[in-house]
Amino acid sequence: MSKSPAPGYRLATYQSADGARAGLVVGDKLFDAAKLTGNAAYATVLGILDDWKAAQATLKKAAANAGKSRVKSQPLARTKLLAPVRWPSAIYCAGANYADHVAEMNARHGRPPEPDPHTLGLQSWHFIKASRSLANPGQTIKVSDYSQQMDWEIELAAVIGRPAKHVPEAKALDYVAGYTCANDLSARDRGRRPHVADTSPFKADWVAHKSFDGSCPLGPWIVPASDIKNPQDLDMKLWVNGVLKQDSNTGRMIYTLCEQIAHLSSRLTLHPGDLILTGTPAGVGAGRGEVLKAGDIVKIWIEGIGEISNKMA
């Protein structure tokens, strides 16, 4: 489970002397995307995604010829990577999208098992995180002054590459530019408003629960969709302090990514750079009676993409 990128290129955002800029990771080196391609509009990942139809070929060619280029590279190992998309117009997070996770949460709260929602005619459902809730790979996230029940949730994140509206399932993956790793940090003790009756329809507080500063670690880069043969067959693992907590595969989703894109785009337009977090499997802290505390290190890894770690403080 190495951090080394696979052949081809990876699309990243890195910290340069001039601020955050888009970079192409080729082997163990990083090149400035705008300089390597000669296109000033490619200085940011959003700029690249806004031109994704043409950018795919441009980036692939630039990466293939990077070794012959006069553009100076820098060692990846000495580069500070940032969350690869700065900043998406929206982050859509699929809720209750792995049957084993639904079962563990129901058991924790003493609720009976639920049937497959497909059998009830239900569609996928999502909540939204604020785009500025993103955290960088390696970033220390302050949690102890905000929540005493901070939880982890590994998720495959899809990055939209072209405007999507009323997209049929069969064509949904055509709208995905690439994939990255996400951790949907959740403040379990902040999700229900105090002094409001448990039976009230206004009891839930999704912003406090899911959308606080640093609640969405993302990275380390975007793997182009063309390099991921099947997003519904990727192994995924999460460790806390080196102890394996989540160990699953994206094939266990209840609603596939295609179903999610089709449903979301039936309601609103998805835009380049938007993120879809596709749900988390069993093994979260709430199901184990465990919480994150200051000093804990959470590492997530998804097959074919890479890994990131974040320290809690």
Side-chain angles (χ1 to χ4, degrees), residues 1 7 10 39 52 54 68 76 93 122 126 137 148 156 176 178 194 210-211 222 227 230 256 260 263 311:
M1 294 174 191
R10 302 293 178 254
N39 188 333
W52 187 244
K68 304 174 184 178
L76 178 62
C93 304
L122 297 175
H126 297 76
Q148 301 305 307
L156 172 69
V176 177
K210 293 284 194 175
S211 203
I222 297 169
D227 288 355
N230 182 6
T256 65
Q260 294 183 49
H263 183 53
K311 183 177 183 180

mmCIF file of all heavy atoms in Angstrom, residues 1 7 10 39 52 54 68 76 93 122 126 137 148 156 176 178 194 210-211 222 227 230 256 260 263 311:
data_model
loop_
_atom_site.group_PDB
_atom_site.id
_atom_site.type_symbol
_atom_site.label_atom_id
_atom_site.label_comp_id
_atom_site.label_asym_id
_atom_site.label_seq_id
_atom_site.Cartn_x
_atom_site.Cartn_y
_atom_site.Cartn_z
ATOM 1 N N MET A 1 0.834 -1.193 0.000
ATOM 2 C CA MET A 1 0.000 0.000 0.000
ATOM 3 C C MET A 1 0.874 1.250 0.000
ATOM 4 O O MET A 1 0.867 2.071 0.886
ATOM 5 C CB MET A 1 -0.931 -0.032 1.202
ATOM 6 C CG MET A 1 -1.925 -1.158 1.108
ATOM 7 S SD MET A 1 -2.939 -1.332 2.570
ATOM 8 C CE MET A 1 -3.696 -2.915 2.189
ATOM 9 N N PRO A 7 1.784 4.111 -13.085
ATOM 10 C CA PRO A 7 2.167 4.712 -14.366
ATOM 11 C C PRO A 7 1.095 5.668 -14.870
ATOM 12 O O PRO A 7 -0.070 5.570 -14.510
ATOM 13 C CB PRO A 7 2.304 3.484 -15.277
ATOM 14 C CG PRO A 7 2.601 2.355 -14.356
ATOM 15 C CD PRO A 7 1.831 2.655 -13.094
ATOM 16 N N ARG A 10 -1.046 11.632 -12.307
ATOM 17 C CA ARG A 10 -2.048 11.921 -11.292
ATOM 18 C C ARG A 10 -2.185 13.434 -11.231
ATOM 19 O O ARG A 10 -1.193 14.170 -11.321
ATOM 20 C CB ARG A 10 -1.634 11.361 -9.925
ATOM 21 C CG ARG A 10 -1.404 9.834 -9.943
ATOM 22 C CD ARG A 10 -2.689 9.109 -10.190
ATOM 23 N NE ARG A 10 -2.565 7.664 -10.265
ATOM 24 C CZ ARG A 10 -2.639 6.963 -11.389
ATOM 25 N NH1 ARG A 10 -2.788 7.585 -12.554
ATOM 26 N NH2 ARG A 10 -2.568 5.652 -11.375
ATOM 27 N N ASN A 39 -0.339 25.900 -20.939
ATOM 28 C CA ASN A 39 -1.679 26.475 -20.890
ATOM 29 C C ASN A 39 -1.873 27.142 -19.530
ATOM 30 O O ASN A 39 -2.001 26.474 -18.510
ATOM 31 C CB ASN A 39 -2.726 25.373 -21.094
ATOM 32 C CG ASN A 39 -4.131 25.921 -21.245
ATOM 33 O OD1 ASN A 39 -4.457 26.997 -20.743
ATOM 34 N ND2 ASN A 39 -4.987 25.184 -21.937
ATOM 35 N N TRP A 52 -12.164 19.786 -19.250
ATOM 36 C CA TRP A 52 -11.768 18.381 -19.140
ATOM 37 C C TRP A 52 -11.826 17.625 -20.463
ATOM 38 O O TRP A 52 -10.984 16.760 -20.728
ATOM 39 C CB TRP A 52 -12.619 17.670 -18.092
ATOM 40 C CG TRP A 52 -12.147 16.272 -17.822
ATOM 41 C CD1 TRP A 52 -12.808 15.114 -18.049
ATOM 42 C CD2 TRP A 52 -10.873 15.893 -17.272
ATOM 43 N NE1 TRP A 52 -12.047 14.035 -17.676
ATOM 44 C CE2 TRP A 52 -10.846 14.487 -17.198
ATOM 45 C CE3 TRP A 52 -9.756 16.617 -16.838
ATOM 46 C CZ2 TRP A 52 -9.751 13.782 -16.700
ATOM 47 C CZ3 TRP A 52 -8.659 15.911 -16.356
ATOM 48 C CH2 TRP A 52 -8.657 14.522 -16.293
ATOM 49 N N ALA A 54 -11.028 18.484 -23.446
ATOM 50 C CA ALA A 54 -9.769 18.680 -24.166
ATOM 51 C C ALA A 54 -8.566 18.382 -23.289
ATOM 52 O O ALA A 54 -7.529 17.906 -23.772
ATOM 53 C CB ALA A 54 -9.686 20.113 -24.688
ATOM 54 N N LYS A 68 11.334 14.592 -21.329
ATOM 55 C CA LYS A 68 12.082 15.351 -22.336
ATOM 56 C C LYS A 68 11.870 16.858 -22.191
ATOM 57 O O LYS A 68 12.500 17.639 -22.905
ATOM 58 C CB LYS A 68 11.643 14.915 -23.735
ATOM 59 C CG LYS A 68 11.785 13.418 -23.993
ATOM 60 C CD LYS A 68 11.187 13.058 -25.338
ATOM 61 C CE LYS A 68 11.216 11.560 -25.580
ATOM 62 N NZ LYS A 68 10.582 11.179 -26.874
ATOM 63 N N LEU A 76 8.462 14.463 -5.604
ATOM 64 C CA LEU A 76 7.168 14.319 -4.965
ATOM 65 C C LEU A 76 7.308 14.207 -3.453
ATOM 66 O O LEU A 76 6.497 14.752 -2.700
ATOM 67 C CB LEU A 76 6.442 13.085 -5.523
ATOM 68 C CG LEU A 76 5.081 12.750 -4.935
ATOM 69 C CD1 LEU A 76 4.084 13.881 -5.184
ATOM 70 C CD2 LEU A 76 4.550 11.452 -5.527
ATOM 71 N N CYS A 93 -22.619 13.870 -0.243
ATOM 72 C CA CYS A 93 -22.212 12.685 0.518
ATOM 73 C C CYS A 93 -23.370 11.703 0.608
ATOM 74 O O CYS A 93 -24.437 12.051 1.131
ATOM 75 C CB CYS A 93 -21.773 13.076 1.919
ATOM 76 S SG CYS A 93 -20.446 14.310 1.962
ATOM 77 N N LEU A 122 -36.986 3.259 -3.339
ATOM 78 C CA LEU A 122 -36.257 4.439 -2.891
ATOM 79 C C LEU A 122 -35.025 4.696 -3.747
ATOM 80 O O LEU A 122 -34.421 3.769 -4.290
ATOM 81 C CB LEU A 122 -35.830 4.272 -1.429
ATOM 82 C CG LEU A 122 -36.961 4.146 -0.401
ATOM 83 C CD1 LEU A 122 -36.390 3.862 0.984
ATOM 84 C CD2 LEU A 122 -37.805 5.411 -0.379
ATOM 85 N N HIS A 126 -28.513 11.941 -0.208
ATOM 86 C CA HIS A 126 -27.240 12.618 0.065
ATOM 87 C C HIS A 126 -27.446 13.811 0.985
ATOM 88 O O HIS A 126 -28.500 14.418 1.008
ATOM 89 C CB HIS A 126 -26.602 13.120 -1.238
ATOM 90 C CG HIS A 126 -26.244 12.040 -2.206
ATOM 91 N ND1 HIS A 126 -27.187 11.392 -2.975
ATOM 92 C CD2 HIS A 126 -25.054 11.488 -2.530
ATOM 93 C CE1 HIS A 126 -26.588 10.485 -3.738
ATOM 94 N NE2 HIS A 126 -25.291 10.526 -3.486
ATOM 95 N N PRO A 137 -4.073 16.357 2.712
ATOM 96 C CA PRO A 137 -3.317 15.191 3.164
ATOM 97 C C PRO A 137 -2.261 15.617 4.191
ATOM 98 O O PRO A 137 -1.558 16.616 3.993
ATOM 99 C CB PRO A 137 -2.647 14.684 1.884
ATOM 100 C CG PRO A 137 -3.505 15.193 0.775
ATOM 101 C CD PRO A 137 -4.016 16.524 1.244
ATOM 102 N N GLN A 148 -16.717 15.303 21.339
ATOM 103 C CA GLN A 148 -16.177 14.222 22.163
ATOM 104 C C GLN A 148 -16.511 12.854 21.564
ATOM 105 O O GLN A 148 -16.154 11.818 22.136
ATOM 106 C CB GLN A 148 -16.732 14.318 23.590
ATOM 107 C CG GLN A 148 -16.405 15.630 24.297
ATOM 108 C CD GLN A 148 -14.913 15.917 24.324
ATOM 109 O OE1 GLN A 148 -14.123 15.085 24.754
ATOM 110 N NE2 GLN A 148 -14.530 17.105 23.861
ATOM 111 N N LEU A 156 -14.923 6.432 -1.166
ATOM 112 C CA LEU A 156 -14.458 6.731 -2.514
ATOM 113 C C LEU A 156 -15.129 8.016 -2.963
ATOM 114 O O LEU A 156 -16.349 8.148 -2.879
ATOM 115 C CB LEU A 156 -14.830 5.596 -3.471
ATOM 116 C CG LEU A 156 -14.562 5.866 -4.957
ATOM 117 C CD1 LEU A 156 -13.069 5.909 -5.232
ATOM 118 C CD2 LEU A 156 -15.253 4.817 -5.831
ATOM 119 N N VAL A 176 -17.524 11.544 -15.125
ATOM 120 C CA VAL A 176 -16.550 11.500 -14.037
ATOM 121 C C VAL A 176 -15.153 11.750 -14.587
ATOM 122 O O VAL A 176 -14.694 11.048 -15.495
ATOM 123 C CB VAL A 176 -16.589 10.135 -13.316
ATOM 124 C CG1 VAL A 176 -15.523 10.078 -12.228
ATOM 125 C CG2 VAL A 176 -17.973 9.898 -12.715
ATOM 126 N N GLY A 178 -12.384 11.747 -12.534
ATOM 127 C CA GLY A 178 -11.453 10.885 -11.817
ATOM 128 C C GLY A 178 -11.922 10.604 -10.408
ATOM 129 O O GLY A 178 -13.052 10.955 -10.024
ATOM 130 N N PRO A 194 -29.784 20.043 20.978
ATOM 131 C CA PRO A 194 -30.236 19.935 22.362
ATOM 132 C C PRO A 194 -31.496 20.764 22.602
ATOM 133 O O PRO A 194 -31.790 21.714 21.869
ATOM 134 C CB PRO A 194 -29.049 20.499 23.158
ATOM 135 C CG PRO A 194 -28.367 21.433 22.204
ATOM 136 C CD PRO A 194 -28.536 20.805 20.845
ATOM 137 N N LYS A 210 -21.703 17.116 10.323
ATOM 138 C CA LYS A 210 -20.901 16.699 9.185
ATOM 139 C C LYS A 210 -20.066 17.785 8.509
ATOM 140 O O LYS A 210 -19.213 17.465 7.686
ATOM 141 C CB LYS A 210 -21.836 16.108 8.115
ATOM 142 C CG LYS A 210 -22.513 14.798 8.519
ATOM 143 C CD LYS A 210 -21.542 13.635 8.427
ATOM 144 C CE LYS A 210 -22.262 12.292 8.496
ATOM 145 N NZ LYS A 210 -21.328 11.150 8.291
ATOM 146 N N SER A 211 -20.286 19.048 8.817
ATOM 147 C CA SER A 211 -19.724 20.095 7.969
ATOM 148 C C SER A 211 -18.868 21.105 8.714
ATOM 149 O O SER A 211 -18.831 22.272 8.363
ATOM 150 C CB SER A 211 -20.859 20.819 7.232
ATOM 151 O OG SER A 211 -20.372 21.442 6.075
ATOM 152 N N ILE A 222 -5.986 13.179 -7.788
ATOM 153 C CA ILE A 222 -7.082 12.625 -8.579
ATOM 154 C C ILE A 222 -6.496 11.647 -9.584
ATOM 155 O O ILE A 222 -5.601 11.998 -10.359
ATOM 156 C CB ILE A 222 -7.853 13.737 -9.318
ATOM 157 C CG1 ILE A 222 -8.506 14.695 -8.327
ATOM 158 C CG2 ILE A 222 -8.915 13.138 -10.241
ATOM 159 C CD1 ILE A 222 -9.046 15.961 -8.966
ATOM 160 N N ASP A 227 -8.095 5.450 -15.839
ATOM 161 C CA ASP A 227 -7.164 4.525 -15.185
ATOM 162 C C ASP A 227 -7.856 3.611 -14.177
ATOM 163 O O ASP A 227 -7.223 2.716 -13.615
ATOM 164 C CB ASP A 227 -6.051 5.300 -14.468
ATOM 165 C CG ASP A 227 -5.068 5.928 -15.443
ATOM 166 O OD1 ASP A 227 -5.209 5.684 -16.657
ATOM 167 O OD2 ASP A 227 -4.161 6.655 -15.001
ATOM 168 N N ASN A 230 -13.016 -0.190 -13.028
ATOM 169 C CA ASN A 230 -14.342 -0.399 -12.447
ATOM 170 C C ASN A 230 -14.395 0.222 -11.058
ATOM 171 O O ASN A 230 -13.851 -0.350 -10.108
ATOM 172 C CB ASN A 230 -14.659 -1.894 -12.364
ATOM 173 C CG ASN A 230 -16.046 -2.171 -11.808
ATOM 174 O OD1 ASN A 230 -16.832 -1.252 -11.570
ATOM 175 N ND2 ASN A 230 -16.360 -3.437 -11.584
ATOM 176 N N THR A 256 -25.002 2.177 -6.639
ATOM 177 C CA THR A 256 -23.751 2.371 -7.358
ATOM 178 C C THR A 256 -23.510 3.857 -7.632
ATOM 179 O O THR A 256 -24.427 4.685 -7.530
ATOM 180 C CB THR A 256 -23.770 1.634 -8.696
ATOM 181 O OG1 THR A 256 -24.773 2.228 -9.548
ATOM 182 C CG2 THR A 256 -24.062 0.142 -8.505
ATOM 183 N N GLN A 260 -26.145 7.007 -8.260
ATOM 184 C CA GLN A 260 -26.060 8.262 -7.520
ATOM 185 C C GLN A 260 -25.985 9.462 -8.454
ATOM 186 O O GLN A 260 -26.662 10.478 -8.242
ATOM 187 C CB GLN A 260 -24.837 8.238 -6.596
ATOM 188 C CG GLN A 260 -24.938 7.215 -5.478
ATOM 189 C CD GLN A 260 -23.749 7.259 -4.553
ATOM 190 O OE1 GLN A 260 -23.346 8.328 -4.087
ATOM 191 N NE2 GLN A 260 -23.157 6.117 -4.283
ATOM 192 N N HIS A 263 -29.383 10.045 -10.098
ATOM 193 C CA HIS A 263 -30.382 10.619 -9.200
ATOM 194 C C HIS A 263 -30.055 12.072 -8.855
ATOM 195 O O HIS A 263 -30.940 12.933 -8.913
ATOM 196 C CB HIS A 263 -30.477 9.783 -7.926
ATOM 197 C CG HIS A 263 -31.535 10.266 -6.976
ATOM 198 N ND1 HIS A 263 -32.840 10.475 -7.350
ATOM 199 C CD2 HIS A 263 -31.469 10.603 -5.651
ATOM 200 C CE1 HIS A 263 -33.539 10.914 -6.319
ATOM 201 N NE2 HIS A 263 -32.729 11.003 -5.286
ATOM 202 N N LYS A 311 -3.682 13.583 11.406
ATOM 203 C CA LYS A 311 -3.567 13.491 12.852
ATOM 204 C C LYS A 311 -4.645 14.338 13.497
ATOM 205 O O LYS A 311 -4.934 15.463 13.065
ATOM 206 C CB LYS A 311 -2.195 13.953 13.333
ATOM 207 C CG LYS A 311 -1.954 13.816 14.818
ATOM 208 C CD LYS A 311 -0.533 14.223 15.189
ATOM 209 C CE LYS A 311 -0.275 14.023 16.674
ATOM 210 N NZ LYS A 311 1.118 14.410 17.039
#
